[in-house]
Each structure stands twice: as structure tokens, then as C-alpha cells.
Amino acid sequence: MLIKTHADGFVHPVASDVTPLAVYQSRRDLIRLMATGAAGVALASWAAREALAQSWAAPGQNAALARTRSNVAGALIMEKVTEYKDASSYNNFYEFGTDKADPAKNAHTLKTSPWSVEIEGLVKKPGRYALEDLLKLSAQEERIYRLRCVEGWSMVIPWVGYSLSELIKKVEPLAGAKYVEFVTLADPKTMPGVGSRVLDWPYVEGLRLDEAMHPLTLLAFGMYGEVLPKQSGAPLRLVVPWKYGFKSGKSLVKIRFTDKQPATAWNKAAASEYGFYSNVNPDVDHPRWSQATERRIGEDGLFARKRKTLMFNGYEAQVGQLYAGMDLKKYF
Ligand SMILES: Nc1nc2c(c(=O)[nH]1)N[C@H]1C(S)=C(S)[C@@H](COP(=O)(O)O)O[C@H]1N2
Ligand SMILES: [Mo]
């Protein structure tokens, strides 16, 4: 039950939506496990994983989870969580093929341990950071975010991680750092798509430093209380919920602080279609299709009703200020 709906799309839960304590605690335990360095290991049997995913996807459950853990800068997502099976079987991860079903089929070859992330560029503390240390760097929490892909599908996912700003603060960017470049793994031995020429590998994305520092920008290690499935970008990825999905780089290996706007993979591939900012914006069409509506994955099958896409994917109250005075048609 919802007690209030704001014009900006955010709603508040009431006590009847509270998750049973046992479910809550089992999730907490999983997250603690992750933080102690068990990432990459299967944390639960398939049956347990499915049960967990079911409980996440049950109508009414996500309300309480949103209240307990997604209150980042006031962004509460109170919508039905996408089912785990949909979120983990309909993916974009071109390193494993261009079909939406390819990553789930092919990503098992990805080796997620050992893993480290190189921090470089205009930063006081550059270096190679082991995944185990990154997991422990800050308290992880669960956050329910919408993510909308440029092709028009969207999902609501309970991610597990912490704000990227926690890591950025630790490594101390220098005064000249204005942008952050995210480089993802490009291993032709384990990633069949890297042999293709659809993109210039490695897959690179970028954010302005203030966007990267925004508390909503999540460094995610898990989803649905589990470590990320490989097709979703294990062992760590970005989730930038007010931007089109492609800004959320998967399987990160390098974070570079720069004074110049990074050249990003999709912008290099088709500059007229994919700008640097790529903020979700129903008023700025993709040159080949409208961005005004979206279809929620798993909702009513093929004939799903279209939903109206919200400005900044519904996070305008939180991030709109970052773009004050900018012409968003020019900086798309
Ligand atoms: N390394 C890498 N990251 C990537 C992609 C990719 O092809 N390679 N695809 C992007 C796109 S287009 C989207 S929509 C999201 C999809 O994330 P999901 O599969 O978890 O929904 O991942 C993004 N991150
Ligand atoms: Mo996408």
C-alpha cells in the first residue's frame, strides 16, 4: 500500500509492506559474506537463489526494501522488482554476443577471480586495487534502481554495492581531474564478441567527475542479494540509473581520472546516436526512434503496455541540478 505519490514519481511505503525479518537477515548475511571476500563463489544453491529471487519479485515486498535500503538522496523506487530470471537472461554485454540471450549463454567463460581494478591518471593514490579490498572499502547496501536501455526496455533491480564516490574519495582525485573513464575487460580468450568489429574494444564509458561523485552512482558487486551473475557484469560494474543503460559499464578493470572528456565506445561507433551524456530524456529522440516510452522487461510479455519514460529516468529531483543551464538537446 502506498500513502503518497509525488508528481516526480516517488512514493512512500507504509508499515504493512515491511519484509519479514528472516528474509531481510538472510540478505544481510549474503552481503556480509561478499564483504569478507567470498565474491566469485556461488553463495547459495540454485534452489535458494531462485527462492530469493522469487521473494524479491513478489509484489509488495520491494516497498520495504526500498525504505530500508534505497533511500539514497531521497530516491525511493516503489515499483515491482523485475524477476531475477528476466534480469539475468535479457542482457546487453556485447563481449559475449549481440543477441539479448547471448550473454546468459556465453558469459560462463568469464573468469572473475582473481580480479583487480587499476586506478590511474589524475589521482593522488593510483594503483592496482584487488577486488577483495574493493568489496571491503565501504559498507554495501541494497538499492532498488530502475535502469532503462536506449532501445526502450527497462528493469527494476535490487543492486548491491556502495556509492562510487566512496572509492573516489579514497583515491583522492587531483584538482585537474574533471572526468572519469571506465574501462572494461576485453579478453579475446574468454569473450567471443571481442573478435567482432561492432565496437572498438575495450568497451569504454565515461562520466563527468561530479556525475561520478553523485551518491546515486553505484559501484555494484551484486544483485538480488547475490554476487552479480556473469552476464550482468561480474565481478563489479557501474549502475548510473539516470542514464541510458550503456553508460553502466560491466566487468570494470580500470578507472582513469582525466582532464578531458573520454572517448566512449558507443560515441565512437555512432556519434550521432550516442552522446557523452546520454541522460534518459523522453524529449530527445534517438535519431532512429522515439525515447518517450519504454517497456518493462517481464511485464505482460510481448504485448506489454508501454510506460511513459520519465525525465532522468525518474531521478530528476536528485540529479537535475547537475545539468542546470545546459542545453540537453545539444548535450544529449
Ligand atoms: N562491458 C560492457 N558493459 C556494458 C555493455 C556491454 O556491451 N559491455 N552493455 C551496456 C548496455 S547497452 C546496457 S543496456 C547495460 C545492460 O545491463 P544489464 O544486462 O545488466 O541489463 O549494460 C551496459 N554495460
Ligand atoms: Mo543498452
Side-chain angles (χ1 to χ4, degrees), residues 87 90-95 147-151 153 155 157 159 184-185 199 201 203 223 231-233 237 244-251 266:
Y90 193 90
N91 302 97
N92 270 347
F93 199 168
Y94 275 26
E95 288 84 338
L147 192 60
R148 187 199 188 282
C149 181
V150 75
E151 290 124 289
W153 42 284
M155 319 175 288
I157 297 196
W159 302 102
T184 74
L185 184 69
L199 290 173
W201 310 107
Y203 190 101
M223 59 190 231
Q231 61 268 35
S232 299
R237 67 174 290 175
Y244 291 113
F246 65 89
K247 300 296 287 183
S248 296
K250 294 176 169 181
S251 306
W266 280 105

